[in-house]
Amino acid sequence: MLRTAGILVLGIGLFASGGTAWAQPTAIQIIAAARPPYVLEQDGIGAGPAVELVQHLARATGIDPTVRVVPFQRAVMALDQGGSLYPALLRTPPRESRYIWIGEVYADRAVFFTRSSSPPISNLDTASRLPRISVMRGSELQVMLQSFGLENFETSNSETDNARLLRAGRIDSWFTLRAIGRATWAELGFGPDELRAGESFAVLPFWIAGSPDLPQPLVSKLRATYQAMRADGRYRRIVAPLAEPRS
């Protein structure tokens, strides 16, 4: 057995579970994009509740629990290329048949953030009259803004960029998920009283996702381990920080 770059390499070995054996893919990696508070980055390695959850599943199935953090588009590309797990991907209709879904991490709310000196955004009419809205490029939230028929938005490479743009007054609103927005804001050291969240426009669930080429017995074992964690309280303990009261 060889370990390289956080990937478990098994060659042509067989993986057995419940009396069933199958050829394990040559390499299974766990890869993600930084998305606080779900996935945090520490020198290119993942941490945070979603990472801890998927690591429990990895250890139970013999997968290297190292989670590598890369840019969002690269992480999704890894899922498409095969042999990958992703700790916290939004489960949306366009993705439903594209990936394998192991278990839900948490459901978050899509909101428009503004500075505290500006009124909250509670409807799309108000949002449509803002000069500048920003959203993360290539994200599910960009697709949502397009589905709303809004054209007054620009895109940036990361949620960190969006938070900085909002605080500097270079945009009027930032469209993201509520927990992500607040965690990113806090990570940058900005005061929580400077940020205001509007009404929720949608509830979007984060799930542990897998490439479509993962062997079905392995998928069954991952799902069974996830359900066991829901039953014995480990899941609740891990995701508890995500459910803290929000103002």
Side-chain angles (χ1 to χ4, degrees):
M1 184 181 293
L2 302 177
R3 293 179 184 273
T4 175
I7 300 174
L8 179 61
V9 181
L10 297 175
I12 311 176
L14 294 181
F15 187 100
S17 174
T20 302
W22 70 91
Q24 185 83 324
T26 302
I28 294 179
Q29 63 180 348
I30 310 177
I31 195 163
R35 227 166 180 183
Y38 303 95
V39 177
L40 310 175
E41 179 183 4
Q42 299 175 352
D43 298 323
I45 302 300
V51 169
E52 183 179 351
L53 188 59
V54 79
Q55 285 177 328
H56 278 274
L57 307 188
R59 293 186 183 102
T61 52
I63 297 172
D64 188 331
T66 303
V67 179
R68 295 188 298 131
V69 177
V70 299
F72 177 72
Q73 294 295 342
R74 182 177 164 193
V76 172
M77 186 181 299
L79 268 182
D80 292 334
Q81 290 173 340
S84 299
L85 286 172
Y86 194 115
L89 186 69
L90 285 177
R91 186 170 183 174
T92 61
R95 291 177 175 158
E96 186 62 33
S97 61
R98 187 173 169 183
Y99 304 117
I100 291 171
W101 304 97
I102 306 300
E104 184 175 325
V105 177
Y106 194 73
D108 208 340
R109 294 177 285 170
V111 300
F112 288 94
F113 278 107
T114 56
R115 286 161 293 173
S116 58
S117 57
S118 302
I121 298 173
S122 58
N123 56 68
L124 292 178
D125 181 61
T126 301
S128 68
R129 289 187 271 108
L130 293 175
R132 297 160 300 174
I133 297 171
S134 189
V135 66
M136 191 169 75
R137 183 175 298 115
S139 69
E140 309 83 356
L141 283 302
Q142 179 181 347
V143 175
M144 187 175 293
L145 287 182
Q146 292 167 334
S147 72
F148 292 160
L150 297 181
E151 299 179 352
N152 56 330
F153 69 88
E154 57 193 51
T155 62
S156 67
N157 289 325
S158 70
E159 299 291 25
T160 298
D161 290 343
N162 284 328
R164 288 176 172 145
L165 288 169
L166 182 64
R167 190 169 189 263
R170 294 173 57 187
I171 58 173
D172 302 282
S173 180
W174 166 27
F175 190 59
T176 188
L177 295 172
R178 181 159 177 159
I180 287 175
R182 292 204 178 279
T184 303
W185 194 263
E187 196 172 62
L188 290 170
F190 301 158
D193 294 340
E194 300 178 62
L195 189 67
R196 175 175 301 195
E199 295 296 322
S200 171
F201 282 80
V203 177
L204 300 177
F206 279 101
W207 277 62
I208 299 169
S211 299
D213 67 339
L214 295 183
Q216 186 55 50
L218 172 60
V219 172
S220 296
K221 176 65 174 177
L222 289 167
R223 287 172 173 166
T225 304
Y226 170 84
Q227 290 300 329
M229 293 182 66
R230 294 289 300 238
D232 65 20
R234 283 178 294 166
Y235 165 86
R236 189 178 302 108
R237 176 188 62 78
I238 291 170
V239 303
L242 302 175
E244 291 177 356
R246 303 164 180 169
S247 59

